[in-house]
Amino acid sequence: MVEVFKCRSSVIKFLVLCLCIFLAAVPSVEGRIRRYKWEVKYEYKSPDCYKKLSITINGRTPGPTILAQQGDTVIVELKNSLLTENVAIHWHGIRQIGTPWFDGTEGVTQCPILPGDTFVYQFVVDRAGTYLYHAHYGMQREAGLYGSIRVSLPDGESEPFAYDYDRSILLTDWYHKSAYEQATGLSSIPFVWVGEPQSILIQGRGRFDCSLPTIESGLCNATNPECSPYVLTVVPGKTYRLRIGSLTALSALSFEIEGHNMTIVEADGHNVEPVVVKNLFIYSGETYSVLITADQDPRRNYWASAKIVSRNGNTSNGLAIFNYYPNNPRRPPPTVPPTGPTWNDSASRLAQSQAINAHAGYVVPAPRTSDRVIVLLNTQNRINGYVRWSVNNVSFHLPHTPYLIALKENLKHVFEQTPPPNGYDFANYDIYNIAKNVNATSSNSIYRLQFNTTVDIILQNANTMNPNNSETHPWHLHGHDFWVLGYGTGKFDIYNDPKKYNLVNPIMKNTVAVQPYSWTALRFRADNPGVWAFHCHIESHFYMGMGVVFEEGIDKVGKLPTSIMGCGDTKRFLRP
Amino acid sequence: MVEVFKCRSSVIKFLVLCLCIFLAAVPSVEGRIRRYKWEVKYEYKSPDCYKKLSITINGRTPGPTILAQQGDTVIVELKNSLLTENVAIHWHGIRQIGTPWFDGTEGVTQCPILPGDTFVYQFVVDRAGTYLYHAHYGMQREAGLYGSIRVSLPDGESEPFAYDYDRSILLTDWYHKSAYEQATGLSSIPFVWVGEPQSILIQGRGRFDCSLPTIESGLCNATNPECSPYVLTVVPGKTYRLRIGSLTALSALSFEIEGHNMTIVEADGHNVEPVVVKNLFIYSGETYSVLITADQDPRRNYWASAKIVSRNGNTSNGLAIFNYYPNNPRRPPPTVPPTGPTWNDSASRLAQSQAINAHAGYVVPAPRTSDRVIVLLNTQNRINGYVRWSVNNVSFHLPHTPYLIALKENLKHVFEQTPPPNGYDFANYDIYNIAKNVNATSSNSIYRLQFNTTVDIILQNANTMNPNNSETHPWHLHGHDFWVLGYGTGKFDIYNDPKKYNLVNPIMKNTVAVQPYSWTALRFRADNPGVWAFHCHIESHFYMGMGVVFEEGIDKVGKLPTSIMGCGDTKRFLRP
């Protein structure tokens, strides 16, 4: 009897085990639910030792990393516990196919989430890769409301590169003035520019010099554990996939690990032909995976360093510790941190961008031709005495009724219906000098694209309102990836430059930079029904008008959830 | 012919004149429309020489004074131009008879007004007097969003006192930390108290000591014209009605004008028997009219001074200049400013309150008895480690669906239905010591009053969580005036103290203070259909739970405007 029981027990254990394996296996086919409960609130944080009110998720900034597998459904229940301030969160790089209302772009795809409300974002992560999330409302991103998304391949599939461990690192810059103070200065006459950031943070940790005499006592504490450097511990001989994302407010960065080469293998969720570099240039809104092998002297630690490039500021480099196990993770490397590339070497930056091509086994063929070409001249302008940024001399502002709702529900007059210009005065505009007329107009009109057509965008950079100055602008497209067909210096030649487009193995991205006095050419398929922002990812630049919006296939958008409504003209839907 | 024409011209002129007189006269009977267009936004202001982000109305803080005549309809079109922050404005002292939805109390009578939205407040000012307006959302009032309302008598009517000129002065206290920073500290473990205000402002002007070594350079400028003292210019021999309102965040004040007596003639919109005082004690949320005759040596100027009482801080007195015309308004008085009363002389404060009675010709008879007595014990407590304020050991929090909408539209479960307690453990609670159990509970339940009944409220003060400490709390009732029946020290005796009530000539007010270790007894008629807040007017105390809400006659409330909706559970009304 006892024996029989024993036997039965073993059988049951075996069956339970089978069931577990079965349950674990099934979801990888059907897609699992990844549920997150987040509470957004203000807390005092000292990420660079200086105490500042920050917007946190579950008490943290950066917020929790979302981990999911291709095909999974991510559900984020976001409770807004800010006191008087709304919020909205964008899932950067997730195309929201079939769920354009959950793109999280206030004014474009949803009304803001009110204090006390819980908003449920629900979307499928349809493709493996490295993505981001961040606030997309006012200038809240700068207050610390951001994080990483890591989507792994389905079970049994693998990348065309090998690694032992997978790590996410978010790079940000950090201001001591609040986002309100910054925004108020930008909207003032005279214009008040907040200046360069006080710190560069690596995974939310940086270091401000607390010994400066101007700091109010008690605000800066160099021994606060919140600002001890980020430590990336590695086992000698192992290879690490570092998923590096940048969500800087302003800064373009160069990231490197002292004494170690990096191999770029992924950009914005797409596998690329491996490129070995000493330092990675990364712009706000971009993500890269690099492989790093811990193949150096294991008896010491090394510096990881993030340096501002493309602007000549005096912000100290962000530093983290690349810690060889079992060395003490707090032991500083015995060397001076790397100084990094010179700030104004845009040729090197462009060269790195141009060196990155789609992985041979993963080329998504680009259409040979496009149905429409839109040229976007990037300029700094003045409107009624206010400093603004513009494209084609139109400075963008958001409507108070989100476009997606306005278009789907046929609410006329909530935004301007005349489309914005397809280009600028190609023949006569001098991109190398301050415009003869710096005045621009302000508009909230949008580009309406024919569904399922191919659209080319030429980002054309120009001089700002300061002599001999042209800035770098990283442009991010919501709801799509685009092929990067080419880069060039000077003025884009619409007849000859397209002949040099890379149609063989162009990479696909969702964010790409246009360099000073240069152009960048993109192509995308307008095949995702919805309304999508395309804008400079520098927080202050978009706030000051540097963006456009595309609509495509609005008639194919499904029934909108009422949770995205409640603002502007949607109040007319209130029928108690 | 020419003569005829001349004659006709005269006739026409006469008729036009008649018409003008007619048009000017008619509205004073029917009530005119007083229309205001306000834009609310952040601006840098230096009201005490220290530069701080402030919330302004049309570029000003305090905002424009609303001037109207009894019976007028005030329409305020309020555009919210804050970036990510909502707003709501309360018309303090206006009873909103028939328009409870325009009381401006976020969470009680309306959803907050979203950025970009224009909300139209429309209400009748049914009674002459001195009132206030201010933000009633989060702790926004402290950011500078407030102003004065002055309602004059109908043409031909006059007050029972004479004066030559009418002036409004708003008293406030001013913090250099933002309302967010303060609120975050109050909601933190450990509790972070912002401390005493940096300045006292008289009509939006104060003076911080810019020479202090801890101030970051560029932030404080003693020569900024925004912080030159407020000047009240008077003509020798004339009598001035000063309408003094206090909207301090924290401070009880004593206001005086050097060398001049003041005669108190109005309190919270009610005429009172004249009381001559050297200094006026005024609590946050109160208004008084005082008469001051410019009867002193006219060859010099005098100090007007506002001093903090009831708290022992080190905030400098607020100073303004009482300028005898034609002396230079900037000429400082030749004397040392008055030092004012000692901070902890609560007996003098209570004596002044008790000395103020309804004007003999304007007594509104109080009901002899009440239908219900609610005793509200004021205590400081702890809930899950957080410091809170409570009444009857219940700390109040606002729901996210305003009560007015929830009750009128029968939305169950958006707030707790069990009513809060009518009193506390009278027999055993020791008001002179820290409570044996300082723990409280948090609730958003409300008191539902029988319509047209008479309600007595006893505010009972007690010791805080610090030994030998009891604070002063000014309580403000929305939608009503109440009779102030009595004050007393110690614990209210429900059997004997009511016998001492003043039922002969009690004043009516909307705000009244309860002194340390004391009680204050009020009576009001529950005759204004709506939902009304009753709370401590100290901004941080209400934020920390020191308030209750009354409902009465909800079935008599008219159709709610949809403009007050859009938040919380009202989203279920969205039917596109």
Side-chain angles (χ1 to χ4, degrees):
Chain A
M1 188 68 192
V2 170
E3 276 305 299
V4 171
F5 220 92
K6 251 187 184 165
C7 174
R8 272 191 187 157
S9 169
S10 298
V11 169
I12 288 166
K13 272 182 189 162
F14 177 72
L15 288 173
V16 167
L17 188 67
C18 287
L19 184 67
C20 288
I21 289 167
F22 176 76
L23 286 174
V26 164
S28 73
V29 179
E30 296 266 323
R32 271 170 294 201
I33 303 287
R34 306 280 184 168
R35 192 179 292 274
Y36 292 85
K37 282 192 184 226
W38 288 358
E39 185 182 16
V40 170
K41 62 186 286 201
Y42 273 112
E43 289 185 50
Y44 278 109
K45 292 287 173 187
S46 302
D48 66 349
C49 307
Y50 184 97
K51 193 167 82 170
K52 186 196 162 186
L53 216 52
S54 310
I55 304 185
T56 61
I57 297 173
N58 296 349
R60 294 159 55 185
T61 170
T65 296
I66 290 182
L67 299 171
Q69 195 170 28
Q70 185 176 306
D72 286 354
T73 298
V74 172
I75 301 179
V76 178
E77 287 180 31
L78 187 134
K79 176 162 191 210
N80 179 2
S81 290
L82 303 173
L83 186 54
T84 55
E85 206 174 329
N86 309 311
V87 75
I89 292 195
H90 170 56
W91 316 94
H92 183 114
I94 309 300
R95 290 167 296 172
Q96 301 289 354
I97 294 165
T99 52
W101 43 77
F102 288 140
D103 189 49
T105 316
E106 188 276 335
V108 178
T109 63
Q110 73 166 101
C111 290
I113 305 162
L114 269 66
D117 273 3
T118 296
F119 186 95
V120 182
Y121 287 101
Q122 177 165 345
F123 51 87
V124 174
V125 287
D126 62 319
R127 200 184 43 185
T130 305
Y131 308 103
L132 303 163
Y133 66 82
H134 58 81
H136 213 298
Y137 185 46
M139 287 176 56
Q140 281 179 340
R141 196 179 86 210
E142 287 193 33
L145 190 44
Y146 39 57
S148 300
I149 302 174
R150 196 197 297 178
V151 182
S152 59
L153 282 169
D155 292 347
E157 293 187 29
S158 60
E159 291 92 354
F161 47 87
Y163 52 94
D164 301 295
Y165 298 101
D166 202 348
R167 299 279 183 273
S168 294
I169 291 185
L170 197 58
L171 306 177
T172 48
D173 47 12
W174 192 248
Y175 284 97
H176 293 170
K177 290 220 180 288
S178 72
Y180 301 99
E181 290 175 301
Q182 293 182 50
T184 302
L186 301 176
S187 303
S188 294
I189 296 177
F191 178 74
V192 181
W193 168 239
V194 65
E196 301 299 314
Q198 275 65 59
S199 309
I200 299 297
L201 309 185
I202 298 179
Q203 194 58 16
R205 288 160 181 273
R207 181 155 286 262
F208 186 68
D209 181 359
C210 289
S211 68
L212 290 174
T214 55
I215 304 173
E216 198 184 315
S217 76
L219 276 185
C220 204
N221 174 8
T223 64
N224 189 324
E226 288 181 23
C227 59
S228 65
Y230 175 72
V231 176
L232 183 74
T233 299
V234 294
V235 175
K238 297 294 183 187
T239 295
Y240 289 80
R241 176 181 189 172
L242 279 195
R243 299 171 182 262
I244 304 169
S246 170
L247 285 174
T248 52
L250 174 69
S251 314
L253 297 175
S254 167
F255 178 80
E256 67 185 289
I257 292 172
E258 184 190 11
H260 292 71
N261 281 335
M262 303 186 278
T263 306
I264 303 171
V265 292
E266 181 218 350
D268 291 6
H270 292 275
N271 297 323
V272 301
E273 278 296 321
V275 180
V276 178
V277 296
K278 184 171 158 293
N279 64 296
L280 174 77
F281 292 109
I282 184 166
Y283 304 95
S284 181
E286 287 191 314
T287 67
Y288 290 95
S289 284
V290 298
L291 303 182
I292 298 172
T293 301
D295 56 6
Q296 299 299 305
D297 179 354
R299 292 168 302 177
R300 51 162 289 194
N301 294 336
Y302 297 82
W303 292 110
S305 169
K307 176 192 172 149
I308 295 181
V309 291
S310 101
R311 297 183 66 92
N312 188 15
N314 55 1
T315 310
S316 302
N317 294 356
L319 294 174
I321 293 177
F322 195 71
N323 163 237
Y324 271 65
Y325 183 84
N327 296 328
N328 186 326
R330 301 279 167 230
R331 174 143 53 104
T335 41
V336 172
T339 52
T342 53
W343 72 270
N344 57 354
D345 182 5
S346 60
S348 290
R349 301 203 303 274
L350 189 59
Q352 186 173 103
S353 296
Q354 287 177 314
I356 302 175
N357 292 305
H359 191 284
Y362 296 83
V363 174
V364 183
R368 310 300 299 172
T369 58
S370 71
D371 301 298
R372 180 174 179 182
V373 179
I374 301 172
V375 183
L376 301 179
L377 177 72
N378 290 210
T379 55
Q380 197 182 38
N381 300 75
R382 216 176 280 283
I383 299 181
N384 299 328
Y386 293 97
V387 176
R388 301 282 296 174
W389 288 93
S390 305
V391 285
N392 296 338
N393 286 308
V394 177
S395 186
F396 177 77
H397 66 265
L398 286 161
H400 299 298
T401 307
Y403 293 110
L404 182 65
I405 309 170
L407 289 163
K408 181 76 183 155
E409 303 295 341
N410 212 20
L411 301 177
K412 307 281 191 196
H413 312 303
V414 300
F415 66 92
E416 296 163 47
Q417 300 293 313
T418 314
N422 280 313
Y424 66 104
D425 181 357
F426 306 120
N428 300 307
Y429 194 96
D430 178 3
I431 65 159
Y432 289 104
N433 284 294
I434 299 172
K436 289 184 197 99
N437 177 4
V438 296
N439 291 328
T441 55
S442 179
S443 174
N444 58 14
S445 69
I446 65 172
Y447 294 93
R448 303 195 65 167
L449 308 176
Q450 282 289 109
F451 187 66
N452 257 336
T453 58
T454 301
V455 180
D456 280 5
I457 302 288
I458 316 300
L459 295 166
Q460 174 66 61
N461 212 340
N463 205 97
T464 65
M465 290 199 291
N466 299 313
N468 302 313
N469 179 250
S470 179
E471 301 192 2
T472 303
H473 303 286
W475 280 77
H476 170 62
L477 178 58
H478 292 222
H480 306 76
D481 294 328
F482 48 73
W483 291 273
V484 182
L485 298 188
Y487 300 92
T489 53
K491 202 190 278 192
F492 177 75
D493 177 343
I494 205 158
Y495 302 105
N496 295 304
D497 284 328
K499 296 172 191 161
K500 297 175 239 161
Y501 282 169
N502 172 13
L503 293 170
V504 178
N505 59 355
I507 55 165
M508 297 200 83
K509 297 193 93 247
N510 59 60
T511 304
V512 73
V514 58
Q515 300 293 342
Y517 304 114
S518 298
W519 57 265
T520 302
L522 332 171
R523 179 167 291 175
F524 70 94
R525 293 280 301 156
D527 56 2
N528 190 9
V531 188
W532 309 105
F534 179 50
H535 60 91
C536 177
H537 212 261
I538 292 174
E539 185 95 315
S540 54
H541 288 191
F542 181 48
Y543 171 70
M544 293 164 76
M546 200 168 205
V548 299
V549 166
F550 299 120
E551 173 276 328
E552 70 211 37
I554 190 69
D555 52 310
K556 291 172 184 62
V557 170
K559 185 170 161 45
L560 302 180
T562 55
S563 63
I564 65 168
M565 304 178 187
C567 62
D569 221 45
T570 71
K571 283 217 167 133
R572 64 164 66 176
F573 300 151
L574 283 162
R575 293 182 194 113
Chain B
M1 186 68 188
V2 169
E3 277 305 299
V4 172
F5 220 92
K6 251 187 184 165
C7 174
R8 272 188 187 157
S9 170
S10 299
V11 169
I12 289 166
K13 273 182 187 162
F14 177 73
L15 289 173
V16 166
L17 188 67
C18 286
L19 184 68
C20 289
I21 290 167
F22 175 77
L23 287 174
V26 164
S28 72
V29 180
E30 296 265 323
R32 274 170 293 200
I33 303 286
R34 305 279 184 168
R35 192 179 293 274
Y36 292 84
K37 282 192 184 226
W38 288 358
E39 185 182 16
V40 171
K41 62 187 285 202
Y42 273 112
E43 290 185 48
Y44 277 109
K45 292 287 173 186
S46 302
D48 65 349
C49 306
Y50 185 96
K51 194 166 81 168
K52 185 196 163 185
L53 216 51
S54 310
I55 305 186
T56 62
I57 298 174
N58 296 349
R60 294 158 55 187
T61 170
T65 296
I66 289 182
L67 299 172
Q69 196 171 26
Q70 185 175 306
D72 286 354
T73 297
V74 172
I75 300 178
V76 178
E77 286 180 32
L78 187 134
K79 178 166 189 206
N80 179 2
S81 289
L82 303 173
L83 186 54
T84 54
E85 204 174 329
N86 309 310
V87 76
I89 292 197
H90 170 55
W91 316 94
H92 182 115
I94 309 299
R95 290 166 298 171
Q96 301 289 354
I97 295 165
T99 53
W101 42 77
F102 288 141
D103 189 50
T105 315
E106 188 277 334
V108 178
T109 63
Q110 71 166 102
C111 291
I113 305 163
L114 270 65
D117 272 5
T118 295
F119 186 93
V120 182
Y121 287 101
Q122 177 166 345
F123 51 86
V124 173
V125 286
D126 62 320
R127 201 184 42 186
T130 305
Y131 308 103
L132 303 163
Y133 66 82
H134 59 81
H136 213 298
Y137 184 46
M139 287 176 57
Q140 281 180 338
R141 195 179 86 210
E142 287 194 33
L145 191 43
Y146 40 56
S148 300
I149 301 174
R150 195 197 297 177
V151 182
S152 59
L153 281 168
D155 292 348
E157 292 186 31
S158 60
E159 291 91 355
F161 47 86
Y163 53 93
D164 300 297
Y165 299 102
D166 202 347
R167 299 278 183 274
S168 294
I169 291 186
L170 197 59
L171 306 177
T172 48
D173 47 12
W174 193 248
Y175 284 96
H176 292 170
K177 291 220 179 290
S178 73
Y180 303 99
E181 289 175 301
Q182 292 182 51
T184 303
L186 300 175
S187 303
S188 293
I189 295 176
F191 179 73
V192 181
W193 168 239
V194 65
E196 301 300 314
Q198 276 63 61
S199 309
I200 299 297
L201 309 184
I202 298 180
Q203 194 57 17
R205 289 159 179 274
R207 180 155 287 263
F208 186 68
D209 182 0
C210 290
S211 68
L212 290 174
T214 54
I215 304 173
E216 196 183 317
S217 76
L219 275 185
C220 204
N221 173 8
T223 64
N224 189 323
E226 287 181 24
C227 60
S228 64
Y230 175 71
V231 175
L232 184 74
T233 299
V234 295
V235 175
K238 297 294 183 188
T239 295
Y240 289 79
R241 176 182 189 172
L242 280 195
R243 297 169 182 262
I244 304 169
S246 171
L247 284 174
T248 51
L250 174 70
S251 314
L253 297 175
S254 167
F255 178 81
E256 68 185 290
I257 292 173
E258 184 192 12
H260 293 71
N261 280 335
M262 303 187 279
T263 306
I264 303 171
V265 292
E266 183 219 348
D268 291 5
H270 292 275
N271 296 322
V272 301
E273 277 297 318
V275 179
V276 178
V277 296
K278 183 171 160 292
N279 63 297
L280 173 77
F281 292 109
I282 183 166
Y283 304 94
S284 181
E286 287 191 313
T287 67
Y288 290 96
S289 284
V290 298
L291 302 182
I292 299 172
T293 301
D295 56 6
Q296 299 299 305
D297 180 354
R299 293 167 302 179
R300 52 162 289 194
N301 293 336
Y302 297 82
W303 293 110
S305 170
K307 176 191 172 150
I308 295 180
V309 291
S310 101
R311 297 183 67 91
N312 188 15
N314 55 1
T315 309
S316 301
N317 294 356
L319 293 175
I321 293 177
F322 194 70
N323 163 237
Y324 271 65
Y325 181 83
N327 297 327
N328 185 325
R330 302 279 167 230
R331 174 143 53 103
T335 42
V336 172
T339 51
T342 53
W343 73 269
N344 56 354
D345 181 5
S346 59
S348 290
R349 301 202 304 273
L350 189 59
Q352 186 174 101
S353 295
Q354 288 176 313
I356 302 175
N357 291 305
H359 192 282
Y362 296 83
V363 175
V364 183
R368 309 301 298 174
T369 58
S370 71
D371 300 298
R372 180 173 179 182
V373 179
I374 301 172
V375 183
L376 301 178
L377 178 71
N378 290 210
T379 56
Q380 196 181 39
N381 300 76
R382 216 176 280 283
I383 298 181
N384 299 329
Y386 294 96
V387 176
R388 302 281 296 173
W389 287 93
S390 306
V391 284
N392 296 338
N393 286 309
V394 178
S395 187
F396 178 77
H397 65 264
L398 286 163
H400 299 299
T401 307
Y403 294 109
L404 182 63
I405 309 171
L407 289 163
K408 181 76 183 155
E409 305 294 341
N410 212 19
L411 302 176
K412 308 282 191 195
H413 312 303
V414 300
F415 66 92
E416 295 163 48
Q417 301 293 313
T418 313
N422 280 312
Y424 67 104
D425 182 358
F426 306 119
N428 299 307
Y429 194 95
D430 178 4
I431 65 158
Y432 290 104
N433 284 293
I434 300 171
K436 289 182 197 102
N437 177 4
V438 296
N439 291 329
T441 55
S442 179
S443 175
N444 58 14
S445 71
I446 65 172
Y447 293 93
R448 304 196 65 167
L449 308 176
Q450 282 289 108
F451 189 65
N452 257 337
T453 57
T454 300
V455 179
D456 281 5
I457 303 287
I458 316 299
L459 295 166
Q460 175 66 60
N461 212 340
N463 205 97
T464 65
M465 290 198 293
N466 299 313
N468 302 312
N469 179 250
S470 179
E471 300 192 4
T472 303
H473 303 286
W475 280 78
H476 170 62
L477 178 59
H478 292 223
H480 307 76
D481 294 328
F482 48 73
W483 292 272
V484 183
L485 299 187
Y487 300 92
T489 52
K491 202 191 279 191
F492 178 75
D493 177 342
I494 205 157
Y495 302 105
N496 296 303
D497 284 326
K499 296 172 190 162
K500 297 174 237 160
Y501 282 170
N502 172 13
L503 292 169
V504 179
N505 58 355
I507 55 165
M508 296 201 82
K509 296 193 92 248
N510 60 59
T511 305
V512 73
V514 59
Q515 300 293 341
Y517 304 113
S518 298
W519 56 265
T520 302
L522 332 171
R523 179 166 291 175
F524 70 95
R525 293 279 301 154
D527 56 2
N528 190 8
V531 188
W532 309 104
F534 180 50
H535 60 91
C536 179
H537 212 261
I538 293 174
E539 185 94 314
S540 53
H541 289 190
F542 181 47
Y543 171 70
M544 292 164 76
M546 201 169 204
V548 299
V549 166
F550 299 120
E551 173 275 328
E552 68 210 40
I554 189 70
D555 52 309
K556 291 172 183 65
V557 170
K559 185 171 161 43
L560 302 180
T562 54
S563 64
I564 65 168
M565 302 178 187
C567 62
D569 221 45
T570 72
K571 283 216 167 133
R572 65 164 66 175
F573 300 152
L574 284 162
R575 293 181 192 115

